[in-house]
Amino acid sequence: MGMQGSAHIVWDWNGTLFHDNDAIIGATNAAFAELGLTPITMEEYRALYCVPVPKFYERLLGRLPTDAEWEVMDVTFHRYYSEHRVVCGLTEGAADLLAGWRTAGRSQSILSMYGHDELVPLVREFGIEPHFIRVDGRTGPSGGSKAEHMVRHLGALTGVDPARTVVIGDAADDAVAALHVGARAVLYTGGSHSRASLEVVGVPVVDSLAEAVAEAERLAAA
């Protein structure tokens, strides 16, 4: 009970709260097609995906994409994703977990590398916006790391202690961003990374959001 009011979760959006794997892999393959690359499976994507995203493309091309290639792929990816994310929904159990954390008197927020102007209306559409004290999407160019965005995000939160904060995400970069600001991290296997690629980061790895919240509670109380 002593941690109530002080424990905070920073949620990732894509692949964590928002179960958009089908839209992500479809958009990725649409972007690949622009460079004549063959499609990849979700399993291949989860094994190879990394941040910054151009490095992911380098693993498949054998070289970094040129600026012109990156621009074409990035535009194609986001156009396809915007068209297909409309059939995606929240991850199973997410709404109840968000409500439960808030009811317990704890705070939570969202920090995503999805564009801010697209993220906020989407969160609102699902009716979960009141659960968060702040919702931040990416501003500026896509393809970078979340670490500096995390600095700004936590800096904008009043009364949130990074040492009592846990970042829940589906990518190694979420853990990197957490450690960058002195927070903890829990990584979820249902999104963009395979369990094997997440476990090398050295933070707890779980297979459900319910496990992630339970682990966040334990870490924040430590």
Side-chain angles (χ1 to χ4, degrees):
M1 295 293 290
M3 62 171 265
Q4 289 193 8
S6 60
H8 182 82
I9 290 176
V10 178
W11 290 95
D12 175 54
W13 179 249
N14 302 95
T16 304
L17 287 176
F18 189 45
H19 187 65
D20 59 350
N21 289 357
D22 289 345
I24 289 287
I25 191 63
T28 298
N29 282 329
F32 286 175
E34 293 292 330
L35 267 65
L37 294 172
T38 57
I40 62 172
T41 66
M42 191 67 209
E43 289 72 22
E44 290 170 327
Y45 177 92
R46 283 161 51 82
L48 294 170
Y49 182 74
C50 63
V51 173
V53 179
K55 294 290 291 183
F56 168 53
Y57 291 144
E58 181 182 21
R59 292 181 174 186
L60 294 149
L61 283 169
R63 59 174 176 80
L64 281 169
T66 66
D67 290 345
E69 288 172 334
W70 165 251
E71 183 175 353
V72 169
M73 296 174 80
D74 192 47
V75 168
T76 301
F77 178 95
H78 286 99
R79 182 177 65 244
Y80 183 102
Y81 181 84
S82 295
E83 293 171 356
H84 290 80
R85 61 114 174 130
V86 295
V87 298
C88 301
L90 294 177
T91 300
E92 183 178 358
D96 289 340
L97 290 167
L98 295 172
W101 187 264
R102 181 188 179 199
T103 300
R106 305 174 182 119
S107 61
Q108 55 199 329
S109 59
I110 293 176
L111 175 62
S112 173
M113 296 300 281
Y114 189 40
H116 184 78
D117 291 342
E118 291 79 27
L119 174 66
V120 173
L122 186 53
V123 172
R124 193 168 293 148
E125 284 174 22
F126 283 112
I128 58 174
E129 187 180 23
H131 296 317
F132 305 106
I133 61 173
R134 189 175 182 88
V135 176
D136 281 336
R138 172 186 48 77
T139 56
S142 62
S145 172
K146 187 178 274 189
E148 292 306 319
H149 294 270
M150 186 69 72
V151 173
R152 290 191 291 271
H153 181 74
L154 286 188
L157 301 178
T158 301
V160 171
D161 180 2
R164 304 295 297 279
T165 297
V166 179
V167 177
I168 298 179
D170 69 314
D173 192 52
D174 292 304
V176 171
L179 297 174
H180 185 68
V181 295
R184 313 285 188 88
V186 179
L187 298 179
Y188 163 61
T189 63
S192 61
H193 280 51
S194 66
R195 171 175 276 278
S197 64
L198 295 177
E199 286 179 337
V200 300
V201 183
V203 303
V205 177
V206 299
D207 296 320
S208 72
L209 293 190
E211 291 175 274
V213 170
E215 188 67 17
E217 185 171 353
R218 184 188 70 80
L219 290 172

